[in-house]
PDB file of all heavy atoms in Angstrom:
ATOM      1  N   TRP A 138     -49.549  27.243  -7.293  1.00 56.00           N
ATOM      2  CA  TRP A 138     -49.409  27.351  -5.833  1.00 56.00           C
ATOM      3  C   TRP A 138     -48.851  28.814  -5.573  1.00 56.00           C
ATOM      4  O   TRP A 138     -49.164  29.467  -4.535  1.00 56.00           O
ATOM      5  CB  TRP A 138     -48.310  26.373  -5.391  1.00 56.00           C
ATOM      6  CG  TRP A 138     -48.893  24.898  -5.343  1.00 56.00           C
ATOM      7  CD1 TRP A 138     -50.209  24.614  -5.423  1.00 56.00           C
ATOM      8  CD2 TRP A 138     -48.108  23.794  -5.427  1.00 56.00           C
ATOM      9  NE1 TRP A 138     -50.346  23.152  -5.422  1.00 56.00           N
ATOM     10  CE2 TRP A 138     -49.040  22.682  -5.343  1.00 56.00           C
ATOM     11  CE3 TRP A 138     -46.779  23.534  -5.306  1.00 56.00           C
ATOM     12  CZ2 TRP A 138     -48.637  21.335  -5.433  1.00 56.00           C
ATOM     13  CZ3 TRP A 138     -46.410  22.074  -5.342  1.00 56.00           C
ATOM     14  CH2 TRP A 138     -47.187  21.028  -5.308  1.00 56.00           C
ATOM     15  N   ALA A 139     -47.938  29.326  -6.421  1.00 55.00           N
ATOM     16  CA  ALA A 139     -47.341  30.703  -6.235  1.00 55.00           C
ATOM     17  C   ALA A 139     -48.359  31.760  -6.311  1.00 55.00           C
ATOM     18  O   ALA A 139     -48.415  32.765  -5.450  1.00 55.00           O
ATOM     19  CB  ALA A 139     -46.252  30.990  -7.319  1.00 55.00           C
ATOM     20  N   LYS A 140     -49.491  31.581  -7.138  1.00 55.00           N
ATOM     21  CA  LYS A 140     -50.491  32.508  -7.206  1.00 55.00           C
ATOM     22  C   LYS A 140     -51.425  32.517  -5.990  1.00 55.00           C
ATOM     23  O   LYS A 140     -52.142  33.501  -5.744  1.00 55.00           O
ATOM     24  CB  LYS A 140     -51.220  32.383  -8.598  1.00 55.00           C
ATOM     25  CG  LYS A 140     -50.420  32.729  -9.834  1.00 55.00           C
ATOM     26  CD  LYS A 140     -51.128  32.484 -11.021  1.00 55.00           C
ATOM     27  CE  LYS A 140     -50.358  32.784 -12.269  1.00 55.00           C
ATOM     28  NZ  LYS A 140     -51.064  32.553 -13.536  1.00 55.00           N
ATOM     29  N   GLN A 141     -51.625  31.235  -5.433  1.00 58.00           N
ATOM     30  CA  GLN A 141     -52.582  31.239  -4.348  1.00 58.00           C
ATOM     31  C   GLN A 141     -52.023  31.669  -3.011  1.00 58.00           C
ATOM     32  O   GLN A 141     -52.871  31.900  -2.126  1.00 58.00           O
ATOM     33  CB  GLN A 141     -52.871  29.676  -4.121  1.00 58.00           C
ATOM     34  CG  GLN A 141     -53.651  29.055  -5.339  1.00 58.00           C
ATOM     35  CD  GLN A 141     -53.813  27.604  -5.266  1.00 58.00           C
ATOM     36  OE1 GLN A 141     -53.241  26.939  -4.304  1.00 58.00           O
ATOM     37  NE2 GLN A 141     -54.781  26.975  -6.002  1.00 58.00           N
ATOM     38  N   LEU A 142     -50.640  31.854  -2.861  1.00 57.00           N
ATOM     39  CA  LEU A 142     -50.093  32.390  -1.635  1.00 57.00           C
ATOM     40  C   LEU A 142     -49.576  33.818  -1.731  1.00 57.00           C
ATOM     41  O   LEU A 142     -49.264  34.212  -2.854  1.00 57.00           O
ATOM     42  CB  LEU A 142     -48.933  31.497  -1.181  1.00 57.00           C
ATOM     43  CG  LEU A 142     -49.410  30.040  -0.811  1.00 57.00           C
ATOM     44  CD1 LEU A 142     -47.988  29.285  -0.608  1.00 57.00           C
ATOM     45  CD2 LEU A 142     -50.162  29.931   0.462  1.00 57.00           C
ATOM     46  N   PRO A 143     -49.529  34.535  -0.624  1.00 61.00           N
ATOM     47  CA  PRO A 143     -48.996  35.916  -0.753  1.00 61.00           C
ATOM     48  C   PRO A 143     -47.513  35.791  -1.145  1.00 61.00           C
ATOM     49  O   PRO A 143     -46.834  34.744  -0.862  1.00 61.00           O
ATOM     50  CB  PRO A 143     -49.168  36.364   0.687  1.00 61.00           C
ATOM     51  CG  PRO A 143     -50.195  35.633   1.295  1.00 61.00           C
ATOM     52  CD  PRO A 143     -50.165  34.222   0.672  1.00 61.00           C
ATOM     53  N   PRO A 144     -46.941  36.755  -1.866  1.00 61.00           N
ATOM     54  CA  PRO A 144     -45.585  36.723  -2.213  1.00 61.00           C
ATOM     55  C   PRO A 144     -44.590  36.476  -1.175  1.00 61.00           C
ATOM     56  O   PRO A 144     -43.656  35.692  -1.278  1.00 61.00           O
ATOM     57  CB  PRO A 144     -45.359  38.171  -2.815  1.00 61.00           C
ATOM     58  CG  PRO A 144     -46.646  38.580  -3.313  1.00 61.00           C
ATOM     59  CD  PRO A 144     -47.633  38.002  -2.341  1.00 61.00           C
ATOM     60  N   TRP A 145     -44.691  37.175  -0.025  1.00 57.00           N
ATOM     61  CA  TRP A 145     -43.716  36.967   1.156  1.00 57.00           C
ATOM     62  C   TRP A 145     -43.865  35.577   1.664  1.00 57.00           C
ATOM     63  O   TRP A 145     -42.851  34.980   2.126  1.00 57.00           O
ATOM     64  CB  TRP A 145     -44.142  38.000   2.223  1.00 57.00           C
ATOM     65  CG  TRP A 145     -45.349  37.846   2.889  1.00 57.00           C
ATOM     66  CD1 TRP A 145     -46.612  38.466   2.520  1.00 57.00           C
ATOM     67  CD2 TRP A 145     -45.690  37.027   4.060  1.00 57.00           C
ATOM     68  NE1 TRP A 145     -47.653  38.017   3.392  1.00 57.00           N
ATOM     69  CE2 TRP A 145     -47.051  37.175   4.422  1.00 57.00           C
ATOM     70  CE3 TRP A 145     -44.880  36.173   4.835  1.00 57.00           C
ATOM     71  CZ2 TRP A 145     -47.612  36.548   5.439  1.00 57.00           C
ATOM     72  CZ3 TRP A 145     -45.433  35.538   5.884  1.00 57.00           C
ATOM     73  CH2 TRP A 145     -46.830  35.705   6.131  1.00 57.00           C
ATOM     74  N   LEU A 146     -45.140  34.956   1.805  1.00 65.00           N
ATOM     75  CA  LEU A 146     -45.234  33.652   2.310  1.00 65.00           C
ATOM     76  C   LEU A 146     -44.571  32.614   1.252  1.00 65.00           C
ATOM     77  O   LEU A 146     -43.968  31.579   1.796  1.00 65.00           O
ATOM     78  CB  LEU A 146     -46.685  33.281   2.526  1.00 65.00           C
ATOM     79  CG  LEU A 146     -47.030  32.048   3.281  1.00 65.00           C
ATOM     80  CD1 LEU A 146     -46.284  31.870   4.526  1.00 65.00           C
ATOM     81  CD2 LEU A 146     -48.467  31.851   3.412  1.00 65.00           C
ATOM     82  N   TRP A 147     -44.822  32.868   0.000  1.00 62.00           N
ATOM     83  CA  TRP A 147     -44.432  31.890  -1.089  1.00 62.00           C
ATOM     84  C   TRP A 147     -42.836  31.932  -0.975  1.00 62.00           C
ATOM     85  O   TRP A 147     -42.121  30.845  -1.127  1.00 62.00           O
ATOM     86  CB  TRP A 147     -44.784  32.366  -2.363  1.00 62.00           C
ATOM     87  CG  TRP A 147     -44.244  31.604  -3.564  1.00 62.00           C
ATOM     88  CD1 TRP A 147     -43.488  32.046  -4.486  1.00 62.00           C
ATOM     89  CD2 TRP A 147     -44.365  30.190  -3.820  1.00 62.00           C
ATOM     90  NE1 TRP A 147     -43.055  31.029  -5.411  1.00 62.00           N
ATOM     91  CE2 TRP A 147     -43.589  29.916  -4.972  1.00 62.00           C
ATOM     92  CE3 TRP A 147     -45.198  29.221  -3.188  1.00 62.00           C
ATOM     93  CZ2 TRP A 147     -43.677  28.605  -5.568  1.00 62.00           C
ATOM     94  CZ3 TRP A 147     -45.143  27.842  -3.723  1.00 62.00           C
ATOM     95  CH2 TRP A 147     -44.372  27.628  -4.845  1.00 62.00           C
ATOM     96  N   ASN A 148     -42.238  33.171  -0.913  1.00 63.00           N
ATOM     97  CA  ASN A 148     -40.754  33.260  -0.838  1.00 63.00           C
ATOM     98  C   ASN A 148     -40.215  32.469   0.283  1.00 63.00           C
ATOM     99  O   ASN A 148     -39.158  31.934   0.276  1.00 63.00           O
ATOM    100  CB  ASN A 148     -40.296  34.685  -0.863  1.00 63.00           C
ATOM    101  CG  ASN A 148     -40.590  35.455  -2.245  1.00 63.00           C
ATOM    102  OD1 ASN A 148     -40.820  34.703  -3.213  1.00 63.00           O
ATOM    103  ND2 ASN A 148     -40.564  36.683  -2.195  1.00 63.00           N
ATOM    104  N   LEU A 149     -40.908  32.698   1.468  1.00 71.00           N
ATOM    105  CA  LEU A 149     -40.482  31.988   2.652  1.00 71.00           C
ATOM    106  C   LEU A 149     -40.557  30.554   2.611  1.00 71.00           C
ATOM    107  O   LEU A 149     -39.618  29.839   3.133  1.00 71.00           O
ATOM    108  CB  LEU A 149     -41.324  32.682   3.900  1.00 71.00           C
ATOM    109  CG  LEU A 149     -40.951  32.212   5.399  1.00 71.00           C
ATOM    110  CD1 LEU A 149     -39.538  32.984   5.640  1.00 71.00           C
ATOM    111  CD2 LEU A 149     -41.973  32.570   6.329  1.00 71.00           C
ATOM    112  N   ALA A 150     -41.598  30.069   1.897  1.00 71.00           N
ATOM    113  CA  ALA A 150     -41.718  28.615   1.753  1.00 71.00           C
ATOM    114  C   ALA A 150     -40.611  28.141   0.857  1.00 71.00           C
ATOM    115  O   ALA A 150     -40.015  27.011   1.180  1.00 71.00           O
ATOM    116  CB  ALA A 150     -42.981  28.354   1.087  1.00 71.00           C
ATOM    117  N   ILE A 151     -40.188  28.731  -0.099  1.00 68.00           N
ATOM    118  CA  ILE A 151     -39.008  28.391  -0.924  1.00 68.00           C
ATOM    119  C   ILE A 151     -37.736  28.353  -0.127  1.00 68.00           C
ATOM    120  O   ILE A 151     -36.938  27.410  -0.204  1.00 68.00           O
ATOM    121  CB  ILE A 151     -38.947  29.348  -2.161  1.00 68.00           C
ATOM    122  CG1 ILE A 151     -40.073  29.002  -3.186  1.00 68.00           C
ATOM    123  CG2 ILE A 151     -37.543  29.038  -2.981  1.00 68.00           C
ATOM    124  CD1 ILE A 151     -40.027  29.822  -4.371  1.00 68.00           C
ATOM    125  N   ILE A 152     -37.554  29.486   0.638  1.00 71.00           N
ATOM    126  CA  ILE A 152     -36.314  29.491   1.457  1.00 71.00           C
ATOM    127  C   ILE A 152     -36.263  28.324   2.399  1.00 71.00           C
ATOM    128  O   ILE A 152     -35.233  27.604   2.738  1.00 71.00           O
ATOM    129  CB  ILE A 152     -36.279  30.783   2.231  1.00 71.00           C
ATOM    130  CG1 ILE A 152     -36.109  32.009   1.177  1.00 71.00           C
ATOM    131  CG2 ILE A 152     -35.125  30.884   3.265  1.00 71.00           C
ATOM    132  CD1 ILE A 152     -36.129  33.240   1.779  1.00 71.00           C
ATOM    133  N   ALA A 153     -37.512  28.028   3.066  1.00 75.00           N
ATOM    134  CA  ALA A 153     -37.587  26.924   4.058  1.00 75.00           C
ATOM    135  C   ALA A 153     -37.237  25.540   3.341  1.00 75.00           C
ATOM    136  O   ALA A 153     -36.549  24.722   3.913  1.00 75.00           O
ATOM    137  CB  ALA A 153     -38.900  26.879   4.692  1.00 75.00           C
ATOM    138  N   PHE A 154     -37.777  25.423   2.071  1.00 73.00           N
ATOM    139  CA  PHE A 154     -37.483  24.243   1.324  1.00 73.00           C
ATOM    140  C   PHE A 154     -36.046  23.998   1.043  1.00 73.00           C
ATOM    141  O   PHE A 154     -35.529  22.872   1.200  1.00 73.00           O
ATOM    142  CB  PHE A 154     -38.370  24.232   0.065  1.00 73.00           C
ATOM    143  CG  PHE A 154     -38.168  23.091  -0.822  1.00 73.00           C
ATOM    144  CD1 PHE A 154     -38.737  21.831  -0.453  1.00 73.00           C
ATOM    145  CD2 PHE A 154     -37.530  23.159  -2.020  1.00 73.00           C
ATOM    146  CE1 PHE A 154     -38.426  20.695  -1.275  1.00 73.00           C
ATOM    147  CE2 PHE A 154     -37.283  21.972  -2.876  1.00 73.00           C
ATOM    148  CZ  PHE A 154     -37.776  20.775  -2.422  1.00 73.00           C
TER     149      PHE A 154
END
Side-chain angles (χ1 to χ4, degrees):
W138 290 341
K140 291 177 182 178
Q141 290 176 349
L142 295 174
W145 65 270
L146 185 59
W147 174 249
N148 292 342
L149 192 64
I151 290 178
I152 293 171
F154 179 70

